[in-house]
Amino acid sequence: MNTQTIVLAAVAAALSLGAAPQAQAQAKEKCYGIAKAGQNDCANLSGTHSCAGQSKADNAPDEWKYVPKGQCKAMNGMTAEEAKAKAKK
């Protein structure tokens, strides 16, 4: 192998490492019922506010945060449909 081939391989490897976290950052889902007070990501299901950081209680079922895709259930969270069903009870 010549020096140019080694350098190009190293640059390609470094660039591919930088792309992996970006792809993972895009794979997010809304997870309801896990946000701490003041740490929700946006409007809640009940419509009592429309901005991030306005939740008043920890783990309110109508408040949500973005989490890595596939992690919501492991955090004891709910999908939007589950949260809506819980709110109707």
Side-chain angles (χ1 to χ4, degrees), residues 3-60:
T3 305
Q4 183 179 6
T5 304
I6 294 171
V7 170
L8 289 175
V11 169
L15 290 175
S16 69
L17 290 175
Q22 183 180 9
Q24 290 175 347
Q26 294 174 359
K28 300 272 185 182
E29 64 182 333
K30 288 182 181 181
C31 187
Y32 289 82
I34 64 163
K36 299 297 180 194
Q39 296 181 2
N40 62 300
D41 280 341
C42 202
N44 63 5
L45 285 176
S46 62
T48 59
H49 68 78
S50 61
C51 294
Q54 293 188 345
S55 61
K56 302 290 184 210
D58 289 349
N59 306 321

Side-chain angles (χ1 to χ4, degrees), residues 53-77:
Q54 293 188 345
S55 61
K56 302 290 184 210
D58 289 349
N59 306 321
D62 65 335
E63 302 288 355
W64 61 272
K65 287 188 68 71
Y66 279 119
V67 299
K69 193 154 185 79
Q71 295 298 311
C72 187
K73 291 297 177 194
M75 301 170 82
N76 295 320

